[in-house]
Each structure stands twice: as C-alpha cells, then as structure tokens.
Amino acid sequence: MPALVIAYFAGVAALALFGLHRLFLLLLYARVRQRAPRALPASGPLPRVTVQLPIYNERYVAQRLLLAAARMDYPHDRLQIQVLDDSDDRTAQRLATLVRRLRACGVAVEYVRRGTRDGFKAGALAHGLLTASGELIVIFDADFVPPHDFLRRTAPWFSDPQVGMVQARWEHLNREWSLLTALQSVFLDGHFLIEHVARSRSGRFFNFNGTAGVWRRECIEAAGGWQGDTLTEDLDLSYRAQLLGWRFVYLNDLTAAAELPIEMNAFKAQQHRWAKGGIQTARKLLPRIWRSRLPWRVKVEATFHLTSNVSYLLMTVPCLLWVPTLVTRYDTHHPWLLAIAATFGLTSVMVVVYHVVSQLVLGRSLRRTLLLSPALLALGLGLSLNNSRAVLEALAGHRSPFRRTPKSGVRRRGDAPGRAYSVRLDGLAWLELVAAAYFAAGVWIAVAQERFIAIPFLLIFLAGFAYVGLSSLGRQIDRVLAVGSLLAVLTLLGLGVWVLQGALGHVAWGG
C-alpha cells in the first residue's frame, strides 16, 4: 500500500476516534437525560451574592448588561454588583456614569478599575474577589443579558454544601442575524444540550463556561483561585475544583441569552482562544487527573474533553491528502480505501446526527437543521487551519495574550452593527484561500479522473475554506458556503441515484 494512502488512513482513523466519542456522548445523553438534578430544600436566609461583570472595551453591550444585572430579583441588602472594568476607551466613561445613576437609585453597584490588564479576565476576577462580600460569586460576560429570576433559581442549589458551581445554558440573542450566527448557535447548542447534560448527569466532569454561572467562593479559593496561565481560565478552575471533590450542577432549563460574534475574524479569534486554552489546560491538568483516584470512566472522558480540539489538527491530514490520492493509480476498490471512505463517512454522519439531535431537543425544524448540516461540516473544515494553529501553539508552549471577542450590539437581521471594534486580519486568511484554490483544482482532477465519489467531499472542503477565507477579508459571504454545500449535497444525491439504478439494473438482468 502506498505511503500516501497509509498516512491518509491513519489520519482518518485517528479522527474517527473523536467521531465515536460523539456517538458515545449521544448514547450517554439518551441514557441519563431523564435524571434531572434536584436541589436540597432551602434553609436559613438567602446567601449573600456578588455579581461580577468583567468588561474590556464593550461600548455597545456593557450598559445593557449592567442594567439587566441591576434588574435581577434578589434582596438588595444581600446583593453586590461589581463592574470590573479594564476598558481604555469610551466604555469606561459610559459605565462610570451609569454606575452613579444606579447607586443614586439604591442599587449596590461598585465600579472597579485596576489600572492594568495583568492576567486579563482571570486577573480582573481575582482582583474583584479582594473586595467581594458575597458567599456566592456570579459571573456574566459583557454580551450577556441575565434573566430576571437568575439568582432566585440558582442560589437554592447551594443548600448542598458539596455544590461548588452551578452553570446555566446559553441562548443566543442574534441566532438569525446571518448564516454564520445560525451555524454558531447550532455548534453551541450541541455543547450545552448534549455534552453538558451527558457529562453532568452521569457523574463525569464538565466545565463552567466562563459566564452565566454561579460559584461558591469557598470552592474558588480552595481550588487555587483564578489563574492566568491558560487562555481558558474557566476550564482550568473547573477541573481543579472537581479534582478536589466539589460537585457541579448544570441547569439545562435555565437560560441566559448572549450575542454571537458576527464577523469571521472575531469568530476565529474566539475559536483560537478556546482551542488553544483547552490544550493548555490538558497539558497542565491531565497528569494530575490520571494520577488521581478518580474512576477510569471519568479519567477517559476528561481526556477526550480536554483534547477534543486535537481533532482539528487530525482533520487537516485527510483534507490535504484528498487531492494527491486522486492522481495516484491505486485501485479505488481496494478494501483499505473502502474502509477509509466508510470511516470518513461515519465521522461526518456522527457530526451531523449530534447537531440534529440537539436541535430536535430544542423543538427546531428537522428540515431546516438538515439543510444547515452541510454548511456546518464545511464551516468546521474551514476552521481547521485556524484551530490547528492554536493546538500547535499550545503543544509548543507558545504564550499569547487573551484576545477578547468584540460584540456589536445586534439582535435581529437588519440591525446595524457597531463598527468601533474589529479583529485584525492575519495572514492565515490568504492560506485559507490557497486551500480553497487547492480543492477547486481537486474537483477538476476528480472529474478528469472520473473519481466522482470524491467530488461531494471536495466541494464541502472548497466551500468551507473559501467561506472562511473570503469572510476574513472583511465581508460576510454567506452565499459561498450555501451554494458550495448545496452543490455537494446534490452531487452526492445524484451519485446515490446513479449507484442505485446500476444496482437495480444488475439485479433485473440476473447479474
């Protein structure tokens, strides 16, 4: 077997492990989804709560967040709100003015300025703890709008002294603003509706998501506090706390709405931070996890969870080897190649099924979700270079600053976004366009070589890289992704009909 095919099969086989892990999570979800957590009866007075709002240059959404926090239903004598503002633009002046007005209305809100960004968000949260008066610490990022009853519904869970953190599910304010926001919402829904439910209700570790959650202050301090040595301080602290035996609770029926990034560069920066921070946390904590006395099922799941972004690095191997395999003269009916096709197909199907289930749980249209599925696959493939770079940087020990995800204050399609903030374009966009051209050449080669079965996959690759690359240059080009995905589906359906007709004709003639 040629070395090229061996390398291709090795990449697909490794990637298939993560596809099988998705299948495992789906099966685990089906088994435990009815095990809703139950709070102990509340006893004694309500605990004191400190709501921390870490903010850096968010002029379009910061005031909306503060007003929503001030409207939350909780006794004012037991509530403290901290605006942890590291901004160096007009956001600071606007927030300071709003804080003065709220204080005049009797709201216990403090405006905290550090004069530095050391430790970034983790540093701001740690600094706020120095003057926090609450037994419980609630955290909301700038783009969130907490519901009125958030504190009333989360505080009772801490009647159990073993509960260290309660996490709510994210909802999305601007889900329908564009194709990009629609796809992001589906990605996140899978994380919250499948992964969090499966992990939390089966006794496995899951993580605080950086916002829309409540911590017991004692738990934060016992676990070593906020640390800025990874880009995912929330994931890091979550695992350190659970390693000490603290119990985490996930409330699937309590939602807090947030704004999704509307620009590709902002989305890529967010994905880069999450991917890199996840691998940094894996390097930091996996040795401690495997040395612990945790059950093996918890250790294995923690390993898959913390290393999940390695799948993007694995994805680049079969992607880039698709075109070279087309020009080889290797027998396309060889059992090994059929196994490769089956493995790749299984991985793709599991990704689709995983997200379809999450949307059905939400009561969303099956037809619309299926129409979005090819675009989901294409976007995931298009992000592979961006996230692979993040994984390699983390594995190499490369340090980088915390790059926030700027928001624009939009909700509905047609809303005019604020343009004061943007993420700088880097050279990766040009490499993504080179990849798109590479797969366009692959489509031409597949047609010339009559390797028709490869065409749908190549079209998905082409659409994904073209969409991510072109959108990174400053314009949201949804049609590129939509048209490319549609062509891939139609080609695949056409091939299916052609194969079926051939099979039926073979049977009819007694072949």
Side-chain angles (χ1 to χ4, degrees):
M1 181 182 296
L4 192 67
V5 177
I6 294 174
Y8 184 88
F9 180 74
V12 172
L15 185 60
L17 288 176
F18 289 94
L20 291 173
H21 179 245
R22 285 181 183 261
L23 174 60
F24 167 76
L25 286 175
L26 279 171
L27 296 174
L28 185 61
Y29 166 80
R31 183 163 63 87
V32 303
R33 62 190 177 91
Q34 300 296 336
R35 300 180 189 174
R38 295 181 181 180
L40 293 177
S43 60
L46 288 171
R48 287 193 58 84
V49 172
T50 294
V51 179
Q52 293 187 322
L53 311 178
I55 292 168
Y56 174 69
N57 292 357
E58 293 287 7
R59 71 175 68 172
Y60 301 115
V61 296
Q63 291 169 294
R64 179 181 69 188
L65 165 67
L66 179 52
L67 288 172
R71 285 193 291 263
M72 286 196 290
D73 177 24
Y74 207 73
H76 284 189
D77 63 334
R78 309 198 68 76
L79 176 64
Q80 173 195 33
I81 300 175
Q82 290 183 328
V83 179
L84 308 176
D85 186 16
D86 289 346
S87 300
D88 54 17
D89 70 351
R90 295 178 183 176
T91 305
Q93 181 181 357
R94 294 178 181 182
L95 279 174
T97 300
L98 181 55
V99 165
R100 287 194 296 269
R101 291 175 180 172
L102 290 173
R103 288 178 65 87
C105 295
V107 180
V109 55
E110 299 177 4
Y111 183 63
V112 181
R113 298 273 294 173
R114 293 191 294 159
T116 176
R117 287 199 73 209
D118 290 348
F120 304 103
K121 181 181 175 181
L125 294 172
H127 182 78
L129 277 180
L130 299 176
T131 55
S133 61
E135 307 162 48
L136 304 182
I137 307 297
V138 185
I139 300 170
F140 283 105
D141 283 347
D143 53 307
F144 273 72
V145 181
H148 183 255
D149 60 349
F150 187 88
L151 299 179
R152 293 282 187 180
R153 294 178 63 181
T154 52
W157 290 92
F158 292 89
S159 297
D160 182 347
Q162 296 301 312
V163 170
M165 192 279 298
V166 173
Q167 174 70 55
R169 176 164 60 87
W170 293 7
E171 252 301 335
H172 319 293
L173 291 170
N174 58 336
R175 177 188 290 266
E176 303 300 334
W177 195 82
S178 68
L179 179 59
L180 178 61
T181 59
L183 295 177
Q184 289 178 70
S185 68
V186 176
F187 281 135
L188 288 169
D189 289 341
H191 173 70
F192 282 94
L193 288 159
I194 305 300
E195 292 183 37
H196 267 8
V197 170
R199 291 185 177 121
S200 65
R201 298 184 185 181
S202 67
R204 290 165 173 82
F205 285 6
F206 78 101
N207 62 293
F208 169 60
N209 292 100
T211 178
V214 185
W215 282 86
R216 189 188 297 273
R217 179 173 183 161
E218 180 188 354
C219 174
I220 295 176
E221 294 172 343
W226 297 106
Q227 299 176 5
D229 55 347
T230 75
L231 292 178
T232 48
E233 72 292 324
D234 46 3
L235 181 65
D236 174 29
L237 180 58
S238 296
Y239 269 77
R240 284 189 277 119
Q242 289 170 103
L243 278 166
L244 293 178
W246 289 96
R247 178 183 166 222
F248 281 16
V249 176
Y250 172 59
L251 302 181
N252 195 42
D253 58 346
L254 174 61
T255 62
E259 182 183 321
L260 298 161
I262 63 171
E263 294 182 349
M264 181 59 73
N265 288 320
F267 175 54
K268 287 166 67 177
Q270 181 190 70
Q271 292 294 306
H272 181 278
R273 185 176 75 247
W274 290 353
K276 185 171 183 176
I279 300 301
Q280 288 173 329
T281 304
R283 290 188 61 188
K284 177 180 179 179
L285 296 181
L286 276 180
R288 191 186 310 180
I289 289 169
W290 281 96
R291 286 195 304 266
S292 72
R293 295 183 178 180
L294 292 168
W296 69 269
R297 59 184 177 83
V298 175
K299 294 179 180 181
V300 171
E301 177 56 35
T303 302
F304 271 104
H305 184 192
L306 294 178
T307 62
S308 60
N309 286 294
V310 172
S311 62
Y312 285 102
L313 187 58
L314 295 173
M315 193 184 300
T316 60
V317 175
C319 281
L320 296 177
L321 292 181
W322 260 96
V323 176
T325 57
L326 291 175
V327 297
T328 63
R329 297 181 179 275
Y330 200 69
D331 178 14
T332 57
H333 294 90
H334 192 282
W336 281 105
L337 290 184
L338 294 177
I340 290 173
T343 305
F344 195 89
L346 171 66
T347 305
S348 302
V349 167
M350 286 316 308
V351 171
V352 172
V353 171
Y354 177 84
H355 291 298
V356 166
V357 170
S358 73
Q359 296 307 290
L360 292 179
V361 170
L362 283 175
R364 297 193 173 275
S365 165
L366 174 61
R367 175 177 171 273
R368 186 175 187 275
T369 304
L370 290 175
L371 288 174
L372 283 176
S373 293
L376 282 169
L377 290 173
L379 180 59
L381 289 162
L383 286 171
S384 60
L385 293 180
N386 179 75
N387 291 5
S388 293
R389 179 176 66 176
V391 170
L392 290 172
E393 287 177 359
L395 291 174
H398 176 266
R399 302 296 297 272
S400 57
F402 184 101
R403 297 172 65 193
R404 71 182 182 90
T405 307
K407 303 302 190 300
S408 304
V410 299
R411 290 200 181 202
R412 292 169 292 276
R413 186 182 295 272
D415 287 353
R419 298 292 186 184
Y421 308 117
S422 61
V423 176
R424 186 177 61 185
L425 175 70
D426 62 21
L428 193 63
W430 302 109
L431 188 58
E432 288 157 350
L433 291 177
V434 169
Y438 174 77
F439 289 114
V443 173
W444 182 84
I445 293 171
V447 172
Q449 297 280 348
E450 296 185 355
R451 305 285 183 92
F452 300 117
I453 193 63
I455 294 175
F457 299 101
L458 291 168
L459 285 172
I460 290 286
F461 298 156
L462 168 59
F465 284 107
Y467 175 63
V468 172
L470 290 172
S471 296
S472 298
L473 298 180
R475 300 192 64 182
Q476 199 64 51
I477 310 177
D478 287 351
R479 290 181 181 178
V480 171
L481 188 60
V483 171
S485 301
L486 179 61
L487 285 174
V489 171
L490 292 177
T491 305
L492 191 59
L493 290 174
L495 285 168
V497 171
W498 177 66
V499 170
L500 181 61
Q501 286 178 336
L504 291 176
H506 186 72
V507 171
W509 287 98

